[in-house]
Amino acid sequence: PSPRRWAVELGGQDRRGHRATIGTGATARARAAEPEPALRKGTIRELLREAHPDHGGDLADAADRIKELTEARTILLRRLEAAPRTRSQLATTLRERSIPDDVARSVLDRFEEVGLVDDAAFARAWVESRQSGKGLAPRALAQELRRKGVPDDVAREALEVVDEQAQRDAARSLVRRKLRS
């Protein structure tokens, strides 16, 4: 084999001093066996601590719990990648995917803690978008938010920003359109 190939297989440098980045042979097998960077040292300890805070129980149970937690996180991140969602919508998604309720609650709590799930922010954005775009009245907006799973008190708070004048203008615009037809 060429010096380049040896360097690549050994994960070193070729004769020109370039770092070998192409993984072939033993290097590729070794890299495939390495844990992903996200699952090294601290993260694994964190997951174990989260899975079994009392450090009791079977190690297999802890491994199953970690698998469920990571699966739930992956599902939620994919859903949130597409569009913002409410906690209720995400909980429904996890339930449909057969994620245990305690795991779902734990992951959703953590997502709320770090700000990835925020029903109040969702409600404010929804109200602003739907009111300015479609001119919906507060009652219709409240109904939509309820269907999305936003708690009533959070929806009321978000609806407080709806401007009376904007409502009147939207109503006049609607009447004008209807009168034309």
Side-chain angles (χ1 to χ4, degrees):
S2 71
R4 170 83 176 147
R5 182 173 169 97
W6 280 109
V8 169
E9 285 186 10
L10 296 174
Q13 297 177 348
D14 64 10
R15 62 184 157 177
R16 286 173 268 152
H18 296 118
R19 174 102 174 107
T21 55
I22 302 167
T24 60
T27 304
R29 286 189 296 279
R31 285 189 183 139
E34 283 182 21
E36 292 183 29
L39 293 178
R40 288 193 180 141
K41 295 180 185 174
T43 308
I44 292 173
R45 281 192 210 108
E46 254 178 54
L47 289 171
L48 277 170
R49 208 173 305 120
E50 192 173 329
H52 282 291
D54 59 351
H55 300 292
D58 188 14
L59 189 58
D61 289 342
D64 288 343
R65 173 76 179 201
I66 289 171
K67 182 180 174 190
E68 290 169 344
L69 286 167
T70 53
E71 183 181 355
R73 288 176 181 156
T74 303
I75 291 167
L76 292 183
L77 288 172
R78 284 189 183 138
R79 291 288 289 168
L80 289 170
E81 208 173 73
R85 311 266 185 220
T86 63
R87 182 182 174 110
S88 175
Q89 290 173 315
L90 294 172
T92 301
T93 299
L94 292 176
R95 207 172 304 113
E96 289 169 355
R97 297 287 195 91
S98 303
I99 300 294
D101 289 340
D102 60 325
V103 172
R105 196 173 323 109
S106 171
V107 172
L108 285 168
D109 288 345
R110 179 66 180 146
F111 273 45
E112 273 186 346
E113 211 175 278
V114 297
L116 290 173
V117 176
D118 186 356
D119 285 351
F122 176 87
R124 286 190 302 273
W126 185 265
V127 166
E128 183 180 321
S129 166
R130 301 291 283 176
Q131 208 280 324
S132 65
K134 288 202 169 206
L136 295 178
R139 186 173 175 185
L141 291 168
Q143 192 174 24
E144 284 186 352
L145 289 173
R146 201 170 297 115
R147 267 188 257 128
K148 298 274 183 196
V150 176
D152 289 335
D153 58 328
V154 173
R156 259 192 308 280
E157 207 173 286
L159 290 168
E160 288 176 356
V161 299
V162 176
D163 184 26
E164 292 285 329
Q165 187 60 40
Q167 287 181 48
R168 284 191 203 98
D169 292 343
R172 284 188 186 109
S173 157
L174 178 64
V175 169
R176 278 189 214 112
R177 280 187 301 214
K178 293 293 180 179
L179 285 175
R180 281 187 223 137
S181 62

